[in-house]
Structures are given as structure tokens and as C-alpha cells.
Amino acid sequence: MRSTDRILLTLSAAAMLALCYLVFLYIPLEKTQGYIQKIFYIHVPCAWVGFVAFTVTAIMGGRYLATRDPDHDRWAAASAEIGIVFTTLVLITGPMWARPVWGIWWTWDIRLTSTLVLWLIYLAYLILRQTVAERDRRSVLAAVTGIIGWLGVPIVYLGNRVRASQHPAPVVGGGEDSGLAPIFLATLLVGVFSLTVFYIVLLRARVRGARLEDAIEELQIAEGRDHA
Amino acid sequence: MSAFLSVTRAVFRRDLSAEWRQKDVLTTVIMFGLLTVVTFVFAFDPARHAREEIVPGCLWTAYLFAGMLGLGRSAARDGQDGGTVGLLLSPADRGAVYVGKFLSHAVFMLAGEAVVLLFTIVWFDLDGRHLTAPFFLILLLGTLGFVAVGTVFAVVSQKSRLREVMLPVLMLPILAPMVMAAVEGTAIVLTPGSNEGLGEWLKLLAGFDLVFAVAGFLLYGFVLEE
């Protein structure tokens, strides 16, 4: 592990400890929902990281198509894998929160649906990568899929204006009535910071791993040629 | 510009003449579309559901699944008869190829959809009150969106080990907003009374078509050349 990663990991862990302190010991209970509302501080940062991760996949896919640098493809793939993990956490923490508050695990509301669709798109992206053997071809097809898949997300969100939503409107920057008391907002931002930095650490580690995998593959191919 | 159009026209005519000889894609779309409608009737008894509750979902599910198989057939044919190799050897503009493929796929889909719709009209007792201009506009916009995405992913899925399985896995989530808008819009049109809210869904469909047609136009070349 390099020193940059060590610093980033320490920052992320410190922020996570601070988040735990704020969430469980410092901030007051939410009036109507009680303890379960505290899941908000992990649910929203996970959703944020998932969206950032898939955006990075789309951007890195575009850069791969422009440059054909295999490293860009590694960043795109790594980011999609991590994005799937965090979006899976969103889809787990969401129902855990919804059940006691709404009385149901799931509703086909636009925000839930769009998160699920995003998750399915990048799951398909990863499956595609698994099922195309040749490396350059895999990189190009994945890049195109990553870009087109990402384009669908804002369109799903547009449906929000047409269909009524049960999911609360964005509490941050969601209109005149929205907004959190400063301490709640600060707590949320600590969570966002912690998980975003953690995402960067994971991403860097995964890309290094992918570089090694590719190097091993090349060595094996070269060795196979020598024996033949 | 005229070179662009002549490539588009050549691709379009080639696809149509190949289809005229084999009729693979149309057979797939029509047969699978009809079977999906019939299966829907078995699954949801029309006697117990209002028409506007069952027809929109039934029609669009039939179109989607039949269409995905049809586009898969079209791309597989290009791979088998050397069409793709020929295109790659030619200096033709890849965007022009996309437009030609887009148009031929749209023609196959609309023709297949028309046949499935004829049977649906009879089976669900639809008439002039339902089959209005907005109904056909939704049908057209939905189909164009489907084809815009499908033309790219039909080629992508051919290059995956999973082939025909990969196409729906890739397409269905990306098509989600289009399906939602098409089904909701069709339901509004089929419901007696005002067409309130229809405009929003039409705008969503048109936006979807535009975004994915442009994306397909720009990205198709990368996919084709791999």
C-alpha cells in the first residue's frame, strides 16, 4: 500500500468514526421516525458514491474510446464494480428504512425504480465484461455500454415530474421547504466525505490489481508462446 | 452529404432485400409477438380486467420481447452472411451505416407490430375510439427509441459469449424509461375521456429517442469495428 492510500484510508476511517459518534451519540433523535431515521446518514452517502462511481465509469469509457489506453478501461471497470457494491447497499438500507416508516419494503416509486434500473444497467455492464474474452474488444464494448447506460439515468429522473413520488424530495437543495438543520447537514457531509474517500482508496487498489492481472495474463501468453 | 445518403440507402436496401428473401426477422417479430399477447391473455383474464389496464402492458411487452429477438436475428444474419465484414472493408461512414440499419430495423419492427396490432384489435375489441392519432404517435416514438438502442446492442450482444441472452440483459434496463412512458401513454389514450398528462409522456419519449439516436449514431462505429 502506498503512502497516499495510507493517508486517504486514515482520513476515511477518521471521518467514519466521527460519523458514528455524531449519529449515535451527538445528534438528537428525529421526532417522528425515531432511531430508524439514522440510517439516512449511510443510505444517502452510499447512493452518492454509487452515482459518482457510475459517472466515472462513463467518463473513463469515453476517454478509453478516445485514447485506447487500457488503463482508462481499468478505471472504468473498477469504478463500476465498486458502484455496484455501494448501490447494493442503497437497495438494502432503503427497504430497511422503508418498512418501519412507510409500512412496506418496496414501492415502485421513481427514485427507487431509477436506483434499481441503474443497478441493473451496470450489472449488465459487468456481465458483458465477463462474457467477452478478447481484451480490446471487451474494453470497447464495455465503454459504449457504460456511456449509453449512464445516459438513461437522467431520463428516468425526468419521469419524476410526471409520476407522483412517495420517496421524500431531496432534503438538500430540493426546493424552498427543503434543507436540514446545520448539524444534520454537517453529519451527512461527514458521511459523504468518509465514503467518497473510501471509494477512491478502493478504486486505486482495484486498478492496481487489474494492472497486475493484465501483466500476469501477458506473461502467461508469452510463456505459452515459448513452449509452443 | 450525398455519399452519406448513398451509404444509408445501400444499407437500408440490402437489409430489406435480405429480409425479403429469408423473412427471418419478420417471422420472429410476428410469431413471438402474437404468442406473447396470447400468453398475456392466459395470464390475465381479459374478462376480469378493464381494457386499458391490460392492453398497454400486453402490447408493449409483446413488442419488446419480439423486437429483441428480431434485432438479434438481424445482427446474427449480418455476422453469418458476411455483411458485417463487407461493411468493415468498405470506407463507408459508420454513422451512415447506423442510420441505414436504424431505418431498416424500424421498418421491420413497425411491420411486425402492425400485424400483432391487428390481432390485438380483434382479440381486445378495440375500435376507432381507441386507435386515434396519439395512439399511433406513441407507437411510432416508442418503436424508434427501441430501435435506436437496439441497433447498437444487437451488435454488442453478438460479440458476447452469451449472445441472445445478453441483448435483453443490456437493453431492458436501458429501455426502462421508454417502456414506462409508452405504457403509461398508451393507457391514457385507451382510457375513455380526456388525454390529460399525455403530453408529458410524449415529450419523455421524444427526448429518449433523440438522446439514444444521437448516442447510437456516434458510438455505433466503435461497436461495429470491434
Side-chain angles (χ1 to χ4, degrees):
Chain A
M1 185 179 267
R2 294 169 196 186
S3 61
T4 319
D5 291 293
R6 215 168 273 140
I7 294 165
L8 288 172
L9 198 58
T10 312
L11 269 177
S12 171
M16 186 48 76
L17 278 176
L19 179 72
C20 289
Y21 172 75
L22 285 168
V23 167
F24 293 110
L25 300 171
Y26 189 78
I27 55 170
L29 270 186
E30 207 265 347
K31 273 182 208 140
T32 49
Q33 298 183 11
Y35 278 106
I36 192 68
Q37 188 269 342
K38 290 182 186 293
I39 209 167
F40 168 81
Y41 299 103
I42 201 74
H43 179 73
V44 174
C46 282
W48 159 258
V49 171
F51 187 73
V52 167
F54 295 140
T55 307
V56 168
T57 297
I59 292 171
M60 284 300 170
R63 290 185 66 183
Y64 175 80
L65 290 180
T67 62
R68 304 284 168 143
D69 176 354
D71 229 30
H72 289 145
D73 181 56
R74 292 184 195 117
W75 287 101
S79 195
E81 287 176 4
I82 301 164
I84 286 287
V85 172
F86 279 95
T87 313
T88 306
L89 289 174
V90 175
L91 292 173
I92 292 171
T93 52
M96 283 167 69
W97 187 8
R99 179 72 182 178
V101 175
W102 294 342
I104 41 171
W105 293 110
W106 184 267
T107 169
W108 290 100
D109 155 282
I110 197 72
R111 279 200 192 78
L112 283 76
T113 310
S114 60
T115 307
L116 179 64
V117 165
L118 192 64
W119 186 74
L120 288 168
I121 287 174
Y122 283 93
L123 214 50
Y125 171 93
L126 292 178
I127 294 170
L128 178 71
R129 295 191 69 95
Q130 291 294 315
T131 58
V132 181
E134 207 256 315
R135 197 195 295 165
D136 292 346
R137 169 177 282 193
R138 172 174 66 221
S139 305
V140 170
L141 299 181
V144 169
T145 305
I147 294 168
I148 295 188
W150 190 86
L151 290 175
V153 179
I155 301 185
V156 181
Y157 257 79
L158 279 179
N160 195 20
R161 293 190 315 165
V162 188
R163 267 188 181 170
S165 178
Q166 182 163 25
H167 192 284
V171 277
V172 182
E176 281 179 16
D177 294 337
S178 75
L180 289 168
I183 184 60
F184 296 117
L185 181 63
T187 307
L188 179 65
L189 289 178
V190 170
V192 167
F193 175 79
S194 172
L195 288 193
T196 308
V197 175
F198 188 47
Y199 157 76
I200 296 169
V201 174
L202 288 176
L203 187 64
R204 288 166 58 93
R206 186 68 191 89
V207 168
R208 276 200 302 277
R211 283 183 195 138
L212 290 175
E213 282 168 17
D214 289 345
I216 290 170
E217 198 185 307
E218 270 161 31
L219 283 174
Q220 282 171 336
I221 292 168
E223 195 170 332
R225 253 200 315 265
D226 290 344
H227 286 299
Chain B
M1 193 64 205
S2 69
F4 186 96
L5 285 179
S6 73
V7 171
T8 300
R9 200 181 310 128
V11 170
F12 179 68
R13 286 173 63 174
R14 187 210 93 97
D15 279 5
L16 252 53
S17 69
E19 180 62 22
W20 184 253
R21 270 183 272 120
Q22 296 182 332
K23 301 175 184 68
D24 279 6
V25 179
L26 267 183
T27 311
T28 306
V29 174
I30 292 171
M31 278 314 294
F32 208 77
L34 289 178
L35 287 168
T36 309
V37 175
V38 171
T39 308
F40 244 83
V41 173
F42 296 151
F44 301 92
D45 183 1
R48 282 189 286 148
H49 295 273
R51 186 189 285 121
E52 60 270 18
E53 283 174 24
I54 187 168
V55 173
C58 169
L59 261 188
W60 282 104
T61 308
Y63 289 167
L64 280 183
F65 283 87
M68 281 186 299
L69 286 181
L71 293 188
R73 269 320 309 154
S74 169
R77 179 166 65 198
D78 284 351
Q80 283 158 6
D81 68 5
T84 311
V85 178
L87 279 174
L88 286 175
L89 289 174
S90 78
D93 185 295
R94 308 312 189 211
V97 176
Y98 175 76
V99 177
K101 288 273 168 208
F102 175 90
L103 291 175
S104 67
H105 286 158
V107 169
F108 298 156
M109 282 302 296
L110 290 170
E113 286 172 1
V115 177
V116 175
L117 180 62
L118 277 178
F119 282 87
T120 310
I121 288 171
V122 174
W123 290 338
F124 288 96
D125 193 26
L126 301 176
D127 55 38
R129 283 172 302 149
H130 310 110
L131 304 170
T132 52
F135 178 90
F136 290 105
L137 186 60
I138 293 168
L139 199 66
L140 180 70
L141 288 177
T143 305
L144 293 182
F146 174 84
V147 171
V149 176
T151 302
V152 176
F153 283 116
V155 181
V156 172
S157 63
Q158 283 299 311
K159 299 179 180 190
S160 153
R161 199 171 61 229
L162 289 178
R163 285 180 187 255
E164 66 285 352
V165 179
M166 206 61 225
L167 187 54
V169 168
L170 286 167
M171 271 185 87
L172 284 176
I174 291 173
L175 288 176
M178 173 244 130
V179 178
M180 194 167 70
V183 170
E184 296 273 351
T186 311
I188 290 174
V189 173
L190 291 184
T191 310
S194 78
N195 283 348
E196 205 190 320
L198 182 65
E200 292 291 311
W201 293 118
L202 285 174
K203 265 189 257 170
L204 193 70
L205 277 175
F208 183 94
D209 292 3
L210 188 70
V211 168
F212 286 99
V214 171
F217 178 79
L218 295 174
L219 295 171
Y220 187 71
F222 292 111
V223 172
L224 196 65
E225 281 170 21
E226 266 314 316

